[in-house]
Amino acid sequence: MEEVHTVKSYDEELAHLTGIIARMGGMAEAQLTAGLQALARRDDDLAQRVVAGDARIDELDREVQSFAVRLLALRQPMAVDLRQIVGALNISGEIERVGDYAANLAKRALVLNRAGITAPVAGVVRLGEMVRGLLKDVLDAYLEKDLTKALGVWSRDEEVDAMYNAVMQDLITLMTEDPGTIATATHLLFMAKNIERIGDHATNIAEALHYQILGTSPAGSRPKGNTVGGPE
Amino acid sequence: MEEVHTVKSYDEELAHLTGIIARMGGMAEAQLTAGLQALARRDDDLAQRVVAGDARIDELDREVQSFAVRLLALRQPMAVDLRQIVGALNISGEIERVGDYAANLAKRALVLNRAGITAPVAGVVRLGEMVRGLLKDVLDAYLEKDLTKALGVWSRDEEVDAMYNAVMQDLITLMTEDPGTIATATHLLFMAKNIERIGDHATNIAEALHYQILGTSPAGSRPKGNTVGGPE
């Protein structure tokens, strides 16, 4: 049953909260895109802009936190609205972490470029593109309150893990066959891990949206491929 | 100014919330300790118990989330109490992630043991012991509401990063000198990273406690050593 707000400005405040999250999400998407581009094109300037850009996402996360706390204090919401505010707190934290990982990706790209090494980045970039799609879809799902789309993201995490394992295996094979690549490949290993974790956070956002709309977590275990990595 | 609660059972509910967090924190500490032990002593049974034990921490995190939401709905708290509940939500999430990293550590220890490789684990174990101390201190600080102790943890994160960089460098040197160690060393690299991230989460808990008590983040930039890792 839909609650009718007698004071319209409360709806506006909830919309404002959602708006900040939408902005954060857009920034995090853009940061991941730019980080992957900086890696693929060996673009130092772009990488540095990504690193510097993370502070803005952190700022918005703090804004969500304090705005949510104010809303809770002043409006004392019930039920659905309460879950929406708590959901916003959760999702904001997830997006903030995605931003961190994107900035870390860019930092490592800088290190690789400065060492003057041409690294085999194609696998990592492909993995990044796959996760970028997941992130975009889950953020769309959040804005549209589209649970079906969110659950679609949730189930695609397994594909990410499969590609991640393949990328890891390739890098280990490379390092074993050519020890001269170890330092570079180590960076790529961590970049792949960062990207895989962004995929995890996209899945977390899907779960948080499920909880926000239905009040429960998605049924059954979360689909996870084995990502311990390395030869088994 | 201290708020006096006219209904005593609200204080009991806040205490209950803190109690769940305390239990989660204790479990996460124990999981990290056991994970490091499983690695140092090549103890498969212990590693498996750590992996299985993470579900309980996840369960408690969900309990904190739903209890906090109920408290917010039923009690409609103001000011300090509101920050305490939001703080509990944040800190619970941080502890849940520490638990995840500890379980990942144990999973990798299992993989190492099953591959029958004797790995040079001493550096990683030492790093883990350092972070275990940080985690213990910040959880104590949370329970005691001791801001000085929490800020002490916050500033020690730099020491963790320095030791982490040293461990990473040693592993890369090892891999370069002996390519036969690459698969094993890769696991150790990620274990070191997991531990370093647990240190980050301990620092996050210190920041969350600062916010909970004072309503602001700690002044100045967060102390961070360079942890991009690898040779520069």
Side-chain angles (χ1 to χ4, degrees), chain A residues 62 65-66 69 72-73 76-78 82-83 86 89-90 94 97 101 104 107-108 111 164 168 172 175-176 179 182-183 186-187 189-190 193 197 211 217 227-232, chain B residues 62 65-66 69 72-73 76-78 82-83 86 89-90 94 97 101 104 107-108 111 164 168 172 175-176 179 182-183 186-187 189-190 193 197 211 217 227-232:
Chain A
R62 286 191 295 271
Q65 297 248 348
S66 57
V69 169
L72 289 169
Q76 292 158 357
M78 304 286 288
L82 180 55
R83 283 209 307 267
V86 172
L89 277 171
N90 284 333
E94 297 294 334
R97 261 163 241 119
Y101 283 120
N104 284 347
K107 266 186 224 174
R108 288 193 185 273
V111 171
Y164 166 77
M168 297 296 284
I172 287 171
M175 292 193 290
T176 310
I182 287 174
T186 303
H187 281 294
L189 280 178
F190 281 110
K193 190 58 176 168
R197 292 205 73 91
Y211 178 79
S217 289
T227 58
V228 173
E232 310 284 22
Chain B
R62 286 191 293 272
Q65 296 250 349
S66 58
V69 168
L72 290 169
Q76 293 160 358
M78 304 287 289
L82 180 55
R83 282 208 308 268
V86 173
L89 277 172
N90 285 332
E94 298 293 334
R97 262 162 240 120
Y101 283 121
N104 283 346
K107 266 187 224 171
R108 289 194 184 272
V111 171
Y164 167 76
M168 296 296 283
I172 287 171
M175 291 193 291
T176 310
I182 287 173
T186 304
H187 280 295
L189 281 178
F190 281 110
K193 190 58 173 167
R197 293 206 73 90
Y211 179 80
S217 289
T227 59
V228 174
E232 311 282 21

Side-chain angles (χ1 to χ4, degrees), chain A residues 73-106:
Chain A
L74 294 174
R75 297 291 185 176
Q76 292 158 357
M78 304 286 288
V80 170
D81 290 336
L82 180 55
R83 283 209 307 267
Q84 188 173 342
I85 295 170
V86 172
L89 277 171
N90 284 333
I91 288 167
S92 181
E94 297 294 334
I95 294 174
E96 191 269 331
R97 261 163 241 119
V98 168
D100 282 351
Y101 283 120
N104 284 347
L105 201 78

Side-chain angles (χ1 to χ4, degrees), chain B residues 32-75:
Chain B
L32 175 56
T33 303
L36 292 171
Q37 204 162 306
L39 174 65
R41 302 183 193 181
R42 308 196 59 183
D43 187 333
D44 273 8
D45 288 340
L46 184 55
Q48 276 168 331
R49 287 202 299 278
V50 173
V51 171
D54 191 48
R56 183 66 183 130
I57 295 181
D58 294 346
E59 213 173 283
L60 288 179
D61 180 42
R62 286 191 293 272
E63 200 178 310
V64 167
Q65 296 250 349
S66 58
F67 190 72
V69 168
R70 254 188 47 224
L71 265 189
L72 290 169
L74 294 174
R75 297 292 183 175

Side-chain angles (χ1 to χ4, degrees), chain B residues 55-169:
Chain B
R56 183 66 183 130
I57 295 181
D58 294 346
E59 213 173 283
L60 288 179
D61 180 42
R62 286 191 293 272
E63 200 178 310
V64 167
Q65 296 250 349
S66 58
F67 190 72
V69 168
R70 254 188 47 224
L71 265 189
L72 290 169
L74 294 174
R75 297 292 183 175
Q76 293 160 358
M78 304 287 289
V80 170
D81 290 334
L82 180 55
R83 282 208 308 268
Q84 189 172 340
I85 294 171
V86 173
L89 277 172
N90 285 332
I91 289 167
S92 181
E94 298 293 334
I95 294 174
E96 190 269 332
R97 262 162 240 120
V98 168
D100 282 350
Y101 283 121
N104 283 346
L105 201 78
K107 266 187 224 171
R108 289 194 184 272
L110 271 171
V111 171
L112 273 188
N113 290 347
R114 284 169 180 169
I117 299 163
T118 313
V121 302
V124 170
V125 172
R126 249 194 330 267
L127 180 69
E129 288 297 323
M130 182 189 254
V131 165
R132 193 164 72 95
L134 236 75
L135 181 63
K136 178 196 176 305
D137 288 348
V138 84
L139 291 171
D140 284 346
Y142 173 73
L143 286 179
E144 298 154 15
K145 300 285 175 278
D146 185 337
L147 203 46
T148 308
K149 189 178 265 189
L151 291 176
V153 168
W154 192 65
S155 62
R156 274 151 65 198
D157 197 43
E158 241 173 350
E159 297 170 32
V160 171
D161 291 342
M163 191 188 278
Y164 167 76
N165 282 333
V167 169
M168 296 296 283
Q169 196 53 60

